[in-house]
Amino acid sequence: MIELRTPTQIEQMRPAGRFVADVLTALQDKADVGVNLLELDELAHQMIKDRGAESCYIDYHPSFGASPFGKVLCTSVNDAVLHGLPHDYELQDGDLLSVDFAASVDGWVSDSALSVVVGTPRQEDLDLIETTTRALEAGIAAALPGNRIGDISAAIAAVAHAKGLAINTQFGGHGVGRTMHGDPHVPNDGRAGRGFKLQAGLVIAIEPWFLHTTDEIFTDADGWTLRSADGSRGAHMEHTVAITADGPLVLTRRA
């Protein structure tokens, strides 16, 4: 069921958005060569405790997950692009790290993700992150009352296709509110003018993710981490966006 939020409720969602943005900023600052993925997860866990927030991941067990997730972050490295289960791994020079984080504050959820290169970057990784970022901003710009879900999807896809990237539509954006995942689904490819008509009060996560040379993925033996079929690296960017009469309001925008 698609739910619309009142202007008052959208204001009540702002603290969750600010918190998620602050956590991702802290994680981006912390991520460095030699830092363990479990250290990143512990930092986020401590920030959740300090804020009195609630993790959206730790008990999360959808049909595609092998078991309850058990951590508060998704940390996807190199050929892993989504749902990376934090484990005992120290970041290496040149690693491409994607971090996805969602939390509830005062009963309202926000969800956001970013990708960074640790240490010495490869130019192709920087280019992939830049393309994914531009695709996210294009999707946000299309999140206007009167447009349709397909307009967001088409805007994201246009950026990716211009760079010759293939697009997987198994996982994409989604509604956000009292829970992390709700209707509508917001795929990263689609036809403009199609799908649900956007209205003020709709709150969605827009989240393009791309791989260098494929759109094929498989699930790692941990039952969660999604990896590219050909070993190519991936980038993932996401914001929680409220559609208002004045245009899109990005609740998880980082300073």
Side-chain angles (χ1 to χ4, degrees), residues 12-97:
Q12 292 170 348
M13 297 182 78
R14 284 182 183 269
R18 285 196 298 270
F19 175 67
V20 167
D22 289 346
V23 171
L24 283 176
T25 297
L27 293 166
Q28 185 174 12
D29 292 343
K30 175 73 172 177
D32 202 353
V33 175
V35 173
N36 197 296
L37 297 181
L38 295 177
E39 293 179 62
L40 296 179
D41 192 72
E42 178 54 35
L43 172 58
H45 206 157
Q46 188 60 52
M47 292 183 74
I48 289 170
K49 291 178 182 177
D50 292 345
R51 180 60 175 80
E54 295 183 13
S55 169
C56 293
Y57 290 170
I58 199 160
D59 295 321
Y60 188 53
H61 190 189
S63 59
F64 56 81
S67 60
F69 191 71
K71 303 294 182 183
V72 301
L73 288 180
C74 292
T75 51
S76 304
V77 181
N78 296 333
D79 64 319
V81 68
L82 294 175
H83 306 165
L85 185 63
H87 59 285
D88 185 12
Y89 174 80
E90 291 186 358
L91 292 167
Q92 306 296 306
D93 187 46
D95 277 348
L96 174 49
L97 170 68

Side-chain angles (χ1 to χ4, degrees), residues 186-247:
V186 186
N188 290 321
D189 197 358
R191 295 178 63 182
R194 299 294 183 92
F196 179 76
K197 188 173 183 179
L198 306 179
Q199 303 172 54
L202 181 66
V203 182
I204 53 176
I206 300 175
E207 54 175 316
W209 59 277
F210 307 130
L211 297 159
H212 275 301
T213 57
T214 186
D215 61 357
E216 301 280 334
I217 54 176
F218 71 94
T219 304
D220 188 87
D222 65 15
W224 276 100
T225 305
L226 296 179
R227 298 186 179 277
S228 67
D230 65 358
S232 63
R233 290 145 80 106
H236 177 202
M237 306 295 286
E238 177 182 17
H239 275 309
T240 295
V241 181
I243 297 171
T244 78
D246 297 322

Side-chain angles (χ1 to χ4, degrees), residues 3 20 48 56 91 94 101 106 108 114 168 173 197 200 253:
E3 298 183 82
V20 167
I48 289 170
C56 293
L91 292 167
F101 177 68
D106 300 325
W108 293 106
L114 58 78
N168 180 296
K197 188 173 183 179
R253 184 76 74 188

